[in-house]
Amino acid sequence: MHAFKQRSGRWLCLVALFLTLPAQAGYLVGRGKADITGEAAEVGMMGYAKLDQKTAGIHMRQWARAFVVQDEAGRRLVFVNNDLGMVFQGVHQAVLNRLQARFGNRYTRENVLLSATHTHAGPGGFSHYALYNFTTLGYNATTFHAAVDGIVEAIVAADADLKPGEIRVARGELFDASANRSLPAYERNPATERSRWQHSIDPTMTVLRFSQGGRDVGLISWFATHGVSMHPGNTLISGDNKGYAAQYIEKQVYGKQGRNDFVAAFAQSNAGDMTPNLWLDGNGPTSNEYENTRLLGERQAGRALSLFNGASELVSGPVDYRQQYANLSQVALRPEFGGGQTCPAALGRAFAAGTEDGRGEDGFNEGDLTSNPFLAQLGGALFGAPKAVEDCQAPKPIMIATGLQKPFPWTPEVLPVSVARIGQLAIVAGPGEFTVMAGRRVRETVAQAMGLPLGNVIFAGYTNAYAGYVATPEEYDAQHYEGASTHFGRRTLPAYAQLYQDLATALRNGQAVAAGPQPRDLSGNQMSLQTGVVLDNTPIFKSFGQLDRDAAASYSRGQTAEAWFWTGHPKNNLRRNNTFVSIERWDGSSWRRVASDDDWSTRYHWVRIDPVWGTSQARIQWQIPLDTAPGQYRIVHLGNYKNGWNGQIYGLSGSSRSFTVY
């Protein structure tokens, strides 16, 4: 009996010891979301480089979606997916400065990844480098700060949301959401390499499933297709197909379950030559750009949701990262990467030709210099380059030597390159548009250096900065748009591959890397020819918010309700994290909002009526969804106007009649 008691006592001690040991910590995960929508009227849009493409309303708002992961050692990584054309280096710098002021060294250049969906349907002018501001007539501070403020807000929200959780990963393929728009260039890659990959597109989709305490809270999907379902003639702000995919998951899937806190990010990958226009030239799957956006978004959302629901592989292991700034204009390549050196940045003549998604870039065609007053003010020679640069960039016929312009280059040359790790997964951050084959080669390089399966290496394009395209050397020789837009010459991709190999090797071996040369800060050297709001006005005997055209008395589901209001300029107040539109239903005691200007069913058009007198209208449409509950509804417009006498900005609102939906 005494021996039994001794053995029992030892077992009880062991059980007590086990119960007091810390549980396997896993990860802390958090997510956040914030509005980054810029100016919704009279601002040049970013992507197609069309002088006449200016914002004139909102179809979907732009959002920053942030995810923070912390391992048991306290190391954090933040990934933010942004409905922007690009995350320009100035945005990255400003966000880092704001984070340092708030959090100290918690978030730094090393562990912050800011990625863009590459929508071509947002306001531009938010770069600190001149090339990307030409067709917006210079720098646009308001849109710049909308992006920076929203990104910081999303990270702050994700940081505050950190809770014990899990991450699971799933991989699959999607074949009906992309096409290769530059096949002749792609087919210059070695036949053996092309046959190994089988497809001229990259059908790979990787999905991360985030949960907190067993409750699903978010996802990130990486898939390569351009944000050009909306055409160059579009003037409404939109997140394009990836923005719709995110909205579909958040609102149609989880929102209808009463889950308004789920965050879905649809991120870009190696999309340089990947188009959603399956029959090119803006065509496909239909001739309607809104339907194209919806269909391509639903296809991505559907595949992502399938992978999400089936994700079983648990992500486990440390969080770590290596980041370095590198001057891409003067990288000396080792023999295994082909030798030689990269070149000062330059764009070829095919850059002006545009792509199958947007042909002929206004403001950049040879001989059109005087038609662009912003270019004229900059002055300096646009064409030609020293022979040494021409030889280095060969066979590219140089149109603009952006890296040689004075007093500052028109495009960045010191760029951030990053490799991050979450457990068994690696994320490669690329500051540009890597073609499908360029991205594959980088992934293979990093996988080999880190000893990882290729499927565990994710390529995140359009991240932390932007410096044009990255084509393979073989594609570069074709000098299609992608090759002509590869800034640092034929050796650009091998230079990136060398840098990524070094970072991946250091990450695997636990070695530190030098920070590298610091990028210049051009925030105090910006120029703009854009005009602000002088005043807003209404026609005589009219007031702000007053109806000019009312809704009908009744509509059936599937029809479009419409009302027009006298309004002020959207630049007066961006109404971030708010709305210009409220579709409201009478619930028997009060009006309750059922849709805003961020819903697929609404379109907010801003129309200038008289530029001299300063009058404008908000023309609001609500395409009534087929599942709308019958009842009484109204259209409400919210906005702001600038008083011409005292320069003050005041709020305005107006409402349509109550109408029946049956």
Side-chain angles (χ1 to χ4, degrees), residues 346-352 396 476 479-487:
L347 297 172
R349 293 175 190 163
F351 171 76
K396 178 192 291 179
Y476 183 89
Q479 280 302 294
H480 283 215
Y481 178 83
E482 294 79 9
S485 304
T486 296
H487 286 197

Side-chain angles (χ1 to χ4, degrees), residues 29 51 81 106 146 157 163 171 257 301 386 433 459 488 495 559 577 636 657:
V29 299
L51 277 167
N81 194 53
R106 185 181 303 175
K163 297 179 182 68
R171 307 163 191 84
Q257 300 173 11
E433 306 191 47
F459 187 84
F488 307 106
Q559 289 186 311
N577 299 305
V636 176
R657 72 200 302 172

Side-chain angles (χ1 to χ4, degrees), residues 109-390:
R109 62 173 177 82
E110 296 181 280
N111 66 344
V112 174
L113 302 180
L114 308 181
S115 192
T117 63
H118 200 44
T119 175
H120 285 42
F126 57 99
S127 174
H128 285 164
Y129 281 89
L131 180 71
Y132 310 116
N133 293 344
F134 284 161
T135 56
T136 60
L137 301 184
Y139 175 64
N140 185 355
T142 303
T143 289
F144 175 88
H145 289 295
V148 172
D149 291 347
I151 292 169
V152 172
E153 289 166 12
I155 294 173
V156 170
D159 181 273
D161 184 56
L162 279 172
K163 297 179 182 68
E166 291 182 339
I167 306 171
R168 296 181 185 274
V169 61
R171 307 163 191 84
E173 294 181 325
L174 177 62
F175 285 98
D176 60 353
S178 61
N180 194 310
R181 71 185 187 192
S182 191
L183 272 174
Y186 175 84
E187 290 171 350
R188 289 192 174 220
N189 293 308
T192 53
E193 183 180 34
R194 287 186 281 115
S195 63
R196 182 161 53 85
W197 288 104
Q198 297 184 312
H199 308 289
S200 61
I201 65 169
D202 188 344
T204 305
M205 179 181 283
T206 303
V207 172
L208 297 188
R209 178 177 182 169
F210 292 84
S211 63
Q212 295 174 333
R215 181 174 185 261
D216 292 327
V217 296
L219 71 82
I220 306 176
S221 164
W222 282 275
F223 176 76
T225 194
H226 245 70
V228 292
S229 293
M230 300 298 291
H231 296 170
N234 166 62
T235 59
L236 298 186
I237 291 174
S238 169
D240 209 273
N241 54 70
K242 289 188 179 291
Y244 179 82
Q247 187 183 96
Y248 181 85
I249 296 293
E250 291 174 352
K251 295 189 176 185
Q252 299 300 313
V253 177
Y254 282 91
K256 290 191 174 181
Q257 300 173 11
R259 289 285 311 280
N260 296 317
D261 62 342
F262 191 90
V263 178
F266 282 78
Q268 276 292 9
S269 188
N270 48 327
D273 49 358
M274 298 291 97
T275 177
N277 295 310
L278 304 184
W279 291 281
L280 302 181
D281 283 317
N283 296 314
T286 77
S287 59
N288 183 298
E289 61 184 327
Y290 292 99
E291 278 300 290
N292 287 343
T293 300
R294 183 186 64 80
L295 285 170
L296 269 294
E298 283 187 356
R299 290 174 184 180
Q300 291 175 74
R303 188 67 179 114
L305 194 61
S306 173
L307 292 170
F308 177 89
N309 289 332
S312 59
E313 181 184 336
L314 192 65
V315 179
S316 62
V319 169
D320 208 351
Y321 31 78
R322 294 294 182 274
Q323 186 270 353
Q324 188 174 61
Y325 291 109
N327 188 330
L328 265 294
S329 70
Q330 52 187 38
V331 176
L333 279 74
R334 298 190 292 269
E336 62 266 34
F337 290 95
Q341 183 168 311
T342 54
C343 319
L347 297 172
R349 293 175 190 163
F351 171 76
T355 73
E356 292 79 359
D357 290 319
R359 297 181 184 271
E361 312 288 15
D362 290 345
F364 290 97
N365 291 328
E366 188 171 4
D368 288 347
L369 177 59
T370 56
S371 69
N372 188 317
F374 182 66
L375 282 174
Q377 279 211 12
L378 281 172
L382 283 180
F383 306 101
K387 186 176 186 307
V389 177
E390 290 182 344

